[in-house]
Amino acid sequence: RRRQRYVEKDGKCNVQHGNVRETYRYLTDIFTTLVDLKWRFSLLVFILAYAVTWLFFGLIWWFIAYSRGDLDHLEDHTWTPCVNNLNGFISAFLFSIETETTIGYGHRVITDQCPEGIVLLLLQAILGSMVNAFMVGCMFVKISQPNKRAETLVFSSHAVVSLRDERLCLMFRVGDLRDSHIVEASIRAKLIRSKQTQEGEFIPLDQTDLSVGFETGDDRLFLVSPLIISHEIDERSPFWDVSRQQMEKDDFEIVVILEGMVEAT
């Protein structure tokens, strides 16, 4: 029968947070919030971050030219404007883009007779560097997330309970499809099921460790070829008092977590 999973087969947690009142906490860690966004929203924020700063400083450059009277002396060659060849908002917007991206001014260039423009140029250069560092950092972290690397880690479709060396064991298999190895790989397993304590307290999603070799060091894997991971069902195992018929009826889930560092990165 189809059961609602706590963790999906692709590794995504099937948990949705509801009734979160202190949403401002997400903004206190804006970097992680942007990294956790979906790609379409991340690209939207990436584009808006640059477009808004270009428009904002373009409007200020146009306002400086307007307040100094540069737009009224476009044909006056004896007049020294703040920015040469700035004749409207479009050219001010282009000058803002050229300043922040350091593309190269061409025939639009700031003069030394505009102290407010020099201050604005310094502010835009500093703010532009901050925007570049922040947004490029977000994109780099988002691209280097291990979600896609996990696609080449394959677990067996089914776990089995069988005898191994005359001991009853719960076993499954894991393998890595890539040639680049996972360094310091370790594995652990959690049993998730509802539990009622002796005092009558009901715990809906109780987590219990399943030993997969922590005492002997077998949980640290040399994942070059597919390996069989084994959990011995002994007196310390939560499955010790569970029969085969009860196991087929019980509603529980086993979550296996494989951790390690990618050799290439």
Side-chain angles (χ1 to χ4, degrees):
R1 62 187 177 92
R2 176 64 177 174
R3 297 176 179 177
Q4 187 177 10
R5 298 182 60 88
Y6 186 67
V7 177
E8 298 292 345
K9 280 291 188 179
D10 56 1
K12 295 181 180 179
C13 294
N14 191 20
V15 177
Q16 295 182 354
H17 297 285
N19 195 23
V20 180
R21 298 180 181 179
E22 299 178 353
T23 54
Y24 67 90
R25 294 182 181 271
Y26 293 107
L27 298 178
T28 57
D29 188 11
I30 188 65
F31 185 84
T32 306
T33 301
L34 292 177
V35 171
D36 290 341
L37 288 176
K38 295 182 179 179
W39 266 108
R40 55 180 177 269
F41 297 116
S42 295
L43 292 176
L44 178 62
V45 172
F46 186 85
I47 294 172
L48 287 178
Y50 286 101
V52 169
T53 53
W54 293 340
L55 286 171
F56 174 73
F57 283 102
L59 183 63
I60 297 179
W61 284 114
W62 173 84
F63 178 76
I64 291 177
Y66 175 80
S67 60
R68 293 180 80 256
D70 295 343
L71 301 180
D72 299 328
H73 299 81
L74 296 177
E75 303 299 332
D76 187 0
H77 298 287
T78 61
W79 179 266
T80 302
C82 182
V83 179
N84 289 328
N85 299 297
L86 195 152
N87 51 24
F89 177 74
I90 300 300
S91 58
F93 177 66
L94 292 175
F95 180 75
S96 175
I97 297 177
E98 294 168 354
T99 301
E100 192 165 328
T101 58
T102 64
I103 293 176
Y105 295 110
H107 68 288
R108 265 188 303 272
V109 59
I110 190 172
T111 63
D112 57 358
Q113 302 298 319
C114 182
E116 61 270 29
I118 296 174
V119 173
L120 181 61
L121 180 67
L122 293 175
L123 291 176
Q124 186 171 4
I126 295 173
L127 184 61
S129 298
M130 294 174 63
V131 172
N132 285 332
F134 190 82
M135 298 311 301
V136 172
C138 285
M139 286 296 155
F140 176 78
V141 173
K142 194 169 183 64
I143 292 173
S144 60
Q145 282 183 321
N147 299 338
K148 297 303 180 183
R149 178 63 177 88
E151 296 292 335
T152 53
L153 286 172
V154 181
F155 289 86
S156 54
S157 300
H158 302 281
V160 298
V161 177
S162 178
L163 287 174
R164 173 182 262 193
D165 294 332
E166 298 182 353
R167 291 177 294 181
L168 201 61
C169 297
L170 170 70
M171 294 176 289
F172 57 90
R173 205 175 192 190
V174 61
D176 189 7
L177 301 181
R178 288 191 178 274
D179 294 332
S180 58
H181 299 158
I182 295 181
V183 184
E184 296 184 4
S186 62
I187 196 166
R188 53 196 175 100
K190 291 281 187 179
L191 173 66
I192 300 177
R193 63 179 176 182
S194 301
K195 175 184 177 182
Q196 188 167 6
T197 64
Q198 296 179 0
E199 294 79 13
E201 179 187 1
F202 179 75
I203 304 176
L205 294 173
D206 182 62
Q207 299 184 11
T208 305
D209 279 323
L210 293 180
S211 176
V212 288
F214 177 77
E215 298 84 358
T216 60
D218 291 338
D219 61 326
R220 293 186 291 273
L221 308 179
F222 183 49
L223 198 58
V224 178
S225 60
L227 299 175
I228 296 178
I229 311 300
S230 176
H231 163 69
E232 183 178 350
I233 302 178
D234 54 11
E235 294 84 353
R236 297 172 297 174
S237 173
F239 295 120
W240 177 250
D241 297 326
V242 180
S243 64
R244 176 178 177 178
Q245 293 76 14
Q246 185 179 355
M247 184 177 291
E248 293 176 349
K249 296 179 181 179
D250 278 353
D251 190 7
F252 66 91
E253 184 172 341
I254 298 175
V255 178
V256 180
I257 305 168
L258 177 65
E259 297 175 314
M261 294 182 294
V262 179
E263 183 184 40
T265 58

